[in-house]
Amino acid sequence: MRKLFLIIPIIFLWSCATISVNYEKGENELLNKNYEKAVFYFEKALREKPKNPLYRVALMRAKYEGSLYHLQRARILRSEGKKEEAIEEYKKAIKFDPTNLGLVRELESYMKEESKKEVPKKLTQPLQLIVKEDKIKLKFQNTSLRSIFQSVGKFFEINVLFDPQYQDSILSIELEDMTAEQALSTLCSVSKNFWTVVNPKTVVIVPDNIVKRRQYEIQGIKTFYLKYADAEQVRQILSTVGRTPRIAVDKASNSITVRGTFADLETFENLISKIDKPGGEVVLDVEIMEVNRSKLLQYGIDLSPYAVSSKINPSKMKDGYISWPDLKSLPSEDIFLSVPTPLINFLHSDSSTRIIAQPRLRGVDSKKINFNIGEKIPVPITTFTPIAAGGIAQQPVTSFEYKDVGIGLEITPRIHSKDEVSLELKLTVTSLSGYGYANLPILGNRQIENFIRLKAGETTLLAGLLREDERKSLKGIAGLKNIPIIGDLFSADERTISQTDIILTITPHIIKSLPIDAKDLEPFWTGTEEGGMMPGMIPAEREIIEKPGIEAIEEAPSSENVLSVVPSSIFSPTNADVALEVFLSTSTQISNLSFQIRFDPSILKVKDVNPGGSIVSGTKPPSFLKDINNSSGIITIGITSSEPMKGIPSGTIINFTLQTLKEGSSEIQIEGIGATDSKGRPVQFSSSSSFIKIGRD
């Protein structure tokens, strides 16, 4: 007994010595998230015992958790715009996991983005108005609306045309500290008109209705290539929010193509920039444990070893043997018999817990993560079919369906603000309970569904999937144990209870959040339900082009483009009609053209203005707009090609008639020329005038 007490402490001390002190220190540092020190102690323990798998796994776990921790810190600092701190955290993450090429590339990409940030190109108007940068300050009292528009145009040095269906009215209004676009939008909103740009120096005022908007508003087509969002989901959003969207989806390139006006395209571009963002990512530390509580309970009289044995006096034996003559002469006192010894048993045993799996799962926000442990077993399924066509289904046909047996885990994470994660999870435990009729497998099933919300790094525990199996057995002396009443004296009962419980622990870690900044939370205004922007709602970057000639406007290739008044000189008596024309000479495909013809209103008066032969001769004549102001001596002309790729053809584009009022002379000159080609680029023009002299016959 004394020796036993000495051996037990020695065994205990030997078992303690099997765990390194450095390993224990590393575990403590890992719990406190001191990853550098944890790696240091684990490496030290591994150097002591290089073949110990426990130390090797602990070192790998510490490096991974350390790399993940610093990566999370880097991405948070990156979203906050702290460049230097973010780069330092990236370097620490790479130090823990230098073989992770994804980390290295992410750092390189971030440093390139910071060194050369490209400002995304904003959507620009196909035709932009060029005006002077001054703001108008005018007050009108009971004035014709047409005159007000013309005054605004004169102030900003642009041409103002009117649709043939435009209706004039009387208006009193004060325009103070307004840009050209704001002034035009204000006047149109109160008169139920809208304005559109014909070319950089000309606008046209049109009655606001669906037909006219379709006639005048330029539509464009733009393709948006989505990086993160699903094209079909974005199409549904745009179809719900947009007024009249025409959208096509290309699943192969994950892109959507939209057709609409400039306002529509701008709205879609702003909306897509808020939708097309990378989803958040989480890492889930999952631990699945099985508690096997196998209880063994023995009670009753145990006649062990349930047998009668004999023994001979060793002094009568030689070398462990006895001869047959000696055995026959052996006296009875040298023969011993052993009978079963009755023992009363009260034995109870209990087992412990084992870890089934410790997966580390990485997933995307709102996407399911599936994890399965186990195997598949075949389950026969019998169906009946008719032997002949049209007969009774009586011929059995057996097929096999494979069922999952084991543990299945399904988790859907959702990332929220303030570093919170909600988990929609479903845990299923399926086991083979036995075999039933015709040796068919019996499957046991335990399932739990739950929805929880946790802080990042917080651990939750789920348990309660219990299963209990009970077995009873009776052992004793054959024949005697089955005798009623007294059979209990020669037998013992054994009862085994096998109880299992599945325990699940989950710890979520956020490694990438949805990148939402302050601009994403701000609304953007799209105008009224009927369409168009209200006064004062014009975005700053679209208000005006400050100076004519800025580099933002790409000009068309220079060529000789001339507008001429023909004939160049005229002599006419008073009270006579003089016919003139404007001749276009160009080698460029002109899609929009506007200009003014100026004359002396004291001696001349315009009687009529009509489109010229080169315009009316085509199958699809261009749109022709005119405005005659005899009091100011100005004719304003606007021409838009119906086929932009062909342009306005060279030749006579205008025929107009002047009436001579009194003697004198006047120059008939062309000014304020604005033109664009088929690509919307400004086109430079020169002009030649005509001289008219009025005298007596």
Side-chain angles (χ1 to χ4, degrees), residues 442-456:
I442 300 174
L443 301 180
N445 185 65
R446 289 173 285 172
Q447 181 173 299
I448 184 172
E449 296 185 21
N450 201 3
F451 187 87
I452 53 178
R453 186 161 177 162
L454 304 170
K455 282 278 189 182

Side-chain angles (χ1 to χ4, degrees), residues 382-397:
T382 303
T383 58
F384 292 89
T385 60
I387 298 176
I392 300 174
Q394 57 184 357
Q395 182 179 3
V397 177

Side-chain angles (χ1 to χ4, degrees), residues 216-454:
Y216 281 93
E217 285 187 332
I218 300 175
Q219 292 199 344
I221 298 175
K222 183 174 177 62
T223 299
F224 298 92
Y225 292 92
L226 305 177
K227 294 181 179 179
Y228 310 104
D230 180 71
E232 184 60 34
Q233 293 180 354
V234 174
R235 185 195 67 80
Q236 294 177 3
I237 295 174
L238 297 184
S239 299
T240 303
V241 175
R243 282 190 286 264
T244 55
R246 298 181 184 179
I247 305 173
V249 175
D250 183 10
K251 293 184 179 180
S253 61
N254 195 37
S255 65
I256 60 173
T257 301
V258 182
R259 179 183 178 184
T261 64
F262 173 80
D264 293 333
L265 296 182
E266 188 177 46
T267 299
F268 295 152
E269 184 178 57
N270 290 333
L271 190 57
I272 289 174
S273 67
K274 296 177 181 292
I275 297 173
D276 190 26
K277 292 184 177 294
E281 294 185 29
V282 297
V283 167
L284 303 176
D285 288 333
V286 182
E287 190 172 54
I288 303 174
M289 297 172 286
E290 184 179 40
V291 179
N292 292 319
R293 303 183 62 84
S294 299
K295 299 177 181 178
L296 175 64
L297 183 61
Q298 293 181 356
Y299 58 92
I301 297 176
D302 187 2
L303 298 176
S304 181
Y306 296 103
V308 177
S309 60
S310 63
K311 188 175 181 181
I312 300 173
N313 190 348
S315 61
K316 303 295 182 179
M317 303 175 69
K318 295 180 180 180
D319 299 328
Y321 298 94
I322 185 170
S323 63
W324 178 253
D326 293 337
L327 180 62
K328 289 192 295 181
S329 60
L330 192 67
S332 59
E333 57 267 19
D334 292 329
I335 300 176
F336 305 96
L337 293 176
S338 139
V339 297
T341 304
L343 298 173
I344 300 177
N345 288 325
F346 297 100
L347 175 64
H348 179 271
S349 65
D350 200 345
S351 63
S352 59
T353 303
R354 69 187 182 96
I355 297 176
I356 299 177
Q358 286 181 306
R360 173 160 287 187
L361 308 176
R362 178 169 178 169
V364 181
D365 183 26
S366 302
K367 299 294 183 180
K368 286 185 180 180
I369 304 173
N370 292 305
F371 178 74
N372 293 285
I373 305 174
E375 56 189 8
K376 292 181 180 288
I377 63 170
V379 177
I381 299 175
T382 303
T383 58
F384 292 89
T385 60
I387 298 176
I392 300 174
Q394 57 184 357
Q395 182 179 3
V397 177
T398 303
S399 59
F400 291 88
E401 180 181 356
Y402 285 85
K403 299 285 187 180
D404 289 319
V405 175
I407 298 176
L409 181 62
E410 183 180 286
I411 305 176
T412 304
R414 288 183 176 86
I415 301 174
H416 306 280
S417 58
K418 299 181 181 180
D419 290 335
E420 291 187 345
V421 181
S422 62
L423 302 175
E424 182 180 352
L425 57 90
K426 179 180 178 181
L427 176 64
T428 304
V429 181
T430 307
S431 60
L432 182 62
S433 301
Y435 293 90
Y437 176 75
N439 205 31
L440 295 177
I442 300 174
L443 301 180
N445 185 65
R446 289 173 285 172
Q447 181 173 299
I448 184 172
E449 296 185 21
N450 201 3
F451 187 87
I452 53 178
R453 186 161 177 162
L454 304 170

Side-chain angles (χ1 to χ4, degrees), residues 417-662:
S417 58
K418 299 181 181 180
D419 290 335
E420 291 187 345
V421 181
S422 62
L423 302 175
E424 182 180 352
L425 57 90
K426 179 180 178 181
L427 176 64
T428 304
V429 181
T430 307
S431 60
L432 182 62
S433 301
Y435 293 90
Y437 176 75
N439 205 31
L440 295 177
I442 300 174
L443 301 180
N445 185 65
R446 289 173 285 172
Q447 181 173 299
I448 184 172
E449 296 185 21
N450 201 3
F451 187 87
I452 53 178
R453 186 161 177 162
L454 304 170
K455 282 278 189 182
E458 184 180 357
T459 302
T460 185
L461 183 144
L462 296 175
L465 295 176
L466 296 173
R467 179 182 174 183
E468 189 172 281
D469 296 323
E470 182 177 346
R471 294 181 181 179
K472 293 182 180 180
S473 63
L474 178 68
K475 64 180 180 178
I477 298 176
L480 297 179
K481 66 181 179 66
N482 296 323
I483 299 176
I485 301 176
I486 66 171
D488 294 338
L489 299 175
F490 303 98
S491 64
D493 289 322
E494 182 176 299
R495 181 184 179 191
T496 303
I497 300 174
S498 178
Q499 186 184 72
T500 60
D501 185 10
I502 298 297
I503 298 176
L504 172 71
T505 64
I506 301 178
T507 306
H509 303 280
I510 300 175
I511 62 174
K512 187 187 296 183
S513 300
L514 185 66
I516 299 177
D517 52 26
K519 289 185 178 180
D520 294 323
L521 302 177
E522 295 177 357
F524 59 91
W525 309 107
T526 60
T528 62
E529 184 67 25
E530 297 296 328
M533 302 289 285
M534 291 296 291
M537 292 175 55
I538 302 167
E541 64 269 19
R542 290 182 50 209
E543 285 188 359
I544 55 172
I545 303 252
E546 301 290 349
K547 297 180 181 179
I550 61 175
E551 295 181 358
I553 300 179
E554 181 186 0
E555 294 186 356
S558 59
S559 61
E560 190 63 26
N561 304 301
V562 182
L563 280 177
S564 305
V565 181
V566 181
S568 60
S569 63
I570 303 172
F571 177 83
S572 175
T574 58
N575 297 320
D577 293 340
V578 178
L580 298 98
E581 61 184 44
V582 175
F583 189 86
L584 170 65
S585 175
T586 180
S587 58
T588 306
Q589 294 175 343
I590 305 297
S591 61
N592 291 288
L593 177 63
S594 67
F595 56 91
Q596 290 181 335
I597 302 174
R598 188 176 292 274
F599 58 92
D600 186 353
S602 62
I603 62 175
L604 293 170
K605 179 182 178 181
V606 179
K607 293 188 66 176
D608 196 11
V609 178
N610 295 301
S614 64
I615 292 180
V616 298
S617 61
T619 57
K620 292 183 179 180
S623 173
F624 180 81
L625 297 174
K626 63 181 179 181
D627 183 69
I628 302 172
N629 191 338
N630 279 316
S631 61
S632 300
I634 297 175
I635 305 172
T636 304
I637 302 296
I639 304 173
T640 302
S641 175
S642 301
E643 298 176 290
M645 298 308 296
K646 292 184 179 180
I648 302 171
S650 297
T652 302
I653 58 174
I654 293 175
N655 294 316
F656 63 101
T657 304
L658 299 178
Q659 181 183 5
T660 57
L661 301 178
K662 62 180 181 179

